[in-house]
Amino acid sequence: MKYTIKQVKKEFLNFFEKNGHTIIKNSSIIPENDDSLLFINAGMAPIKNVFTGQEQPDSKRMCNLQICIRTNDIDSIGDRHHLSSFCMLGSWSVGDYFKKEAVAFAYDLLVNHLKIPKEKLYATVFGGDKTRGLPADTDSGNFWQDMGIAKNHILNCSFEDNFWRMGDGESPCGPCTEVFYDTGDKHGKSYEETGYFDDKKRYIEIWNAGVFMQYLQTEKGTYEKLPFNSVDTGSGIERLVMTLNGYESVYQTEVYAPIINHILANSDKAKDESVRIISDHIKTSVLILNAGIEPSNVKRGYVLRRLLRRAMRHLRNINAKEGLLEELVAKTIDNLIECDIAPEWNYSKDQIVEKVKLEQEKFSKLLENGLKVFEEFVSNKNNITDGKLNSNLVFKLYDTFGFPFEITKELANEHNLSVSEKEFEELFAEHKENSKGDVGKVFKSGLADINDNTIKLHTATHLLHAGLKKFLGQNVNQKGSNITPERLRFDFNFERKMTAEEVQAVEDFVNNIINQKIEICREEMPYDLAKESGAVGLFSSKYGENVSVYTIGSFSKEICSGPHAKNTKDLGRFKITKEESSSAGIRRIKAVLQ
Ligand code: SER
């Protein structure tokens, strides 16, 4: 019998539900209230504050399937088991059970329910780190042995491998224990034979069966005890299905197989690695586009651009027939729906295909010319030192021909040349510094990315601000604003919780203006004049002489660098989804346009 993704999802969630866990939602891939993260990269990311006690969890035991995006392993994509987007099955104990129960749950599900022979499993545990003052986790190894895993299948590992945190910033963290599946002799020599645990080829990680959250990593890199202990687990469902079915790679699962087959049927030069990269990158791009992000040169938009352009380059590599990219995008969307991974998500298929086509038009000419220029660069020996391509040229390929670093790196590798990522990053940072004007502008208005949705939400923010002043008092002022494609977040000074009536009144005020179909006007004028005319100015000290002022009928007038919608009718329906405290004397509203 072959397992499907749907079955394994059901098996996992049923198992944890039966053991007292509440199933929580699959959040958007765009983090809310978390500027430290471009994309949700683990199931715990949307709920990270429950582990520090800052927020209350829905339940002390939870589980879900969360779609995650991770592009830090982009170089590994094309192998058997790395993906830039995947479904993470997760389970959590928040201040409830700890190591012993977590290990027992993992063993029970894998061995008793999913029938994986225990001899195929290996567990890694944290061996401690003296310089950081972190003791070894000796308990977990013992618990694995109690369950029936042989002692020589339990490995002590380093801080880098077995101490999980969200990155270098502030984050709840702790030692973890990971489960690996032995895919057998055809994938390399065994650990027993060589003493080397080949986790790149033979042994595939299938479950981080417990991050034992007990510390808070501070900005300074120290570790403080958390008020209570928690467990955070995560398992990539594509890998789990791959190992359960004895597949060669995750690309044989139903999330990828139909796409791979379609590529193979439409290319006369298909190479395994390229085909995998294409299907992976298109799927992740679809997810990002569907979250309202558009290709650009900043932040999330740039991740998307890199993925799409790399997919395009590989399509060219395999001699793909014309129009294949669009077909694959449409097919990927159909297949995501068919696989039922996130039944609650809708896909705007035509729009997504259109956006990919637009990006392809932009890049196809550049790609053609850039490849010629690249060939010229590498044919001149002066551009190469000790086998490394001159970094200014790598940057030029980015700057002039829109080649993301990975593309140039791959091309260079095909010529047995190296490139320096560090030097490229330095040139990139220098370039960013020089064009800071633009970047500053983006952040001034609190937009995480500029696209149709964020622009409309930005206009809604002005109306919200005006409504709050009208119903709560003129001394209410903006204290912070953050806009993602999905929602606006607005902080303002006010001493108490708003009543339900006040929230309703503000919401009605905004919707009323939307219904009046009012043009949004922009004027340039000297700062003093703008202030005199009653425009609300938020960052006065930062403005130069002339400022732009956005007016919405008689309702709102703000000094602002934009961008804004043309007419309030474009906004749709405004809805306040949350009103809460942000800090002392500051309230926070989240709202959406429906
Ligand atoms: N947060 C942990 C990880 O990403 C467990 O899910 O590995």
Side-chain angles (χ1 to χ4, degrees), residues 41-45 68 70 86 88-92 164-166 176 178 205 207-211 213 232-235:
N41 59 358
M44 61 74 76
C68 297
R70 280 190 189 175
F86 61 99
M88 185 184 274
L89 293 166
S91 61
W92 298 280
W164 202 87
R165 62 238 166 88
M166 281 186 78
C176 65
E178 297 180 334
E205 185 202 329
W207 196 349
N208 190 345
V211 178
M213 301 267 193
D232 155 41
T233 91
S235 166

Side-chain angles (χ1 to χ4, degrees), residues 28 30 34 40 165 230 232 265 304 369 418 489 521 579 586:
S28 159
I30 311 293
D34 190 353
I40 292 299
R165 62 238 166 88
S230 297
D232 155 41
L304 171 61
N369 293 334
S418 66
R489 191 182 81 202
C521 296
E579 192 275 339
I586 307 290

Side-chain angles (χ1 to χ4, degrees), residues 419-438:
V419 283
S420 162
E421 185 158 11
K422 187 168 165 278
E423 286 170 15
F424 174 81
E425 293 293 344
E426 281 162 10
L427 290 164
F428 191 84
E430 225 172 84
H431 163 86
K432 238 174 137 178
E433 191 62 30
N434 292 338
S435 54
K436 220 174 188 165
D438 292 347

Side-chain angles (χ1 to χ4, degrees), residues 125-235:
V125 297
F126 180 52
D129 187 308
K130 284 211 175 77
T131 53
R132 293 182 171 89
L134 297 166
D137 170 16
T138 46
D139 302 335
S140 298
N142 292 335
F143 294 137
W144 282 116
Q145 281 189 64
D146 292 346
M147 295 308 299
I149 299 289
K151 194 168 180 198
N152 62 350
H153 279 213
I154 298 168
L155 287 81
N156 274 318
C157 292
S158 66
F159 176 85
E160 279 68 33
D161 286 328
N162 275 61
F163 192 89
W164 202 87
R165 62 238 166 88
M166 281 186 78
D168 289 329
E170 190 177 286
S171 127
C173 60
C176 65
T177 181
E178 297 180 334
V179 182
F180 287 77
Y181 179 87
D182 180 2
T183 61
D185 288 340
K186 64 178 171 187
H187 295 292
K189 294 215 160 96
S190 74
Y191 171 58
E192 285 75 9
E193 199 180 335
T194 62
Y196 169 65
F197 190 69
D198 185 359
D199 62 356
K200 301 277 171 293
K201 293 209 165 79
R202 176 164 174 151
Y203 302 97
I204 305 279
E205 185 202 329
I206 54 169
W207 196 349
N208 190 345
V211 178
F212 300 122
M213 301 267 193
Q214 45 195 306
Y215 303 104
L216 180 75
Q217 174 179 269
T218 65
E219 296 281 354
K220 289 179 276 167
T222 55
Y223 297 90
E224 290 167 6
K225 275 261 175 218
L226 284 171
F228 49 84
N229 290 339
S230 297
V231 180
D232 155 41
T233 91
S235 166

Side-chain angles (χ1 to χ4, degrees), residues 292-461:
I293 308 293
E294 308 215 355
S296 74
N297 280 343
V298 287
K299 300 175 113 196
R300 300 182 176 110
Y302 188 50
V303 174
L304 171 61
R305 173 159 282 168
R306 280 163 58 199
L307 291 166
L308 278 174
R309 293 191 170 185
R310 190 159 179 242
M312 289 172 202
R313 215 261 313 167
H314 280 276
L315 279 165
R316 193 178 184 281
N317 263 8
I318 62 163
N319 237 352
K321 69 158 193 184
E322 181 132 3
L324 184 59
L325 176 62
E326 289 122 81
E327 276 177 32
L328 291 173
V329 171
K331 238 183 165 2
T332 298
I333 296 172
D334 292 342
N335 196 48
L336 284 169
I337 297 168
E338 174 79 27
C339 292
D340 210 21
I341 285 167
E344 67 280 17
W345 286 4
N346 294 319
Y347 294 87
S348 26
K349 187 165 158 186
D350 294 347
Q351 271 182 28
I352 294 175
V353 173
E354 235 5 80
K355 283 179 182 157
V356 172
K357 255 165 91 177
L358 215 68
E359 180 67 3
Q360 188 179 30
E361 276 159 27
K362 273 192 196 150
F363 190 51
S364 58
K365 258 226 153 58
L366 290 170
L367 178 61
E368 207 60 46
N369 293 334
L371 288 172
K372 279 191 207 125
V373 170
F374 174 84
E375 291 301 332
E376 278 164 30
F377 284 168
V378 294
S379 61
N380 181 345
K381 287 202 169 49
N382 294 333
N383 294 331
I384 296 158
T385 320
D386 297 331
K388 190 189 91 188
L389 182 61
N390 182 307
S391 293
N392 287 317
L393 301 181
V394 178
F395 187 73
K396 193 175 165 121
L397 283 165
Y398 159 75
D399 200 26
T400 315
F401 297 99
F403 276 30
F405 177 76
E406 297 83 28
I407 293 191
T408 309
K409 184 177 171 185
E410 279 176 357
L411 287 167
N413 288 346
E414 285 161 21
H415 286 73
N416 290 324
L417 295 173
S418 66
V419 283
S420 162
E421 185 158 11
K422 187 168 165 278
E423 286 170 15
F424 174 81
E425 293 293 344
E426 281 162 10
L427 290 164
F428 191 84
E430 225 172 84
H431 163 86
K432 238 174 137 178
E433 191 62 30
N434 292 338
S435 54
K436 220 174 188 165
D438 292 347
V439 175
K441 218 171 174 181
V442 172
F443 290 119
K444 212 187 279 173
S445 302
L447 276 65
D449 231 307
I450 295 193
N451 62 42
D452 278 1
N453 290 351
T454 53
I455 291 172
K456 287 178 201 161
L457 283 163
H458 184 203
T459 304
T461 301

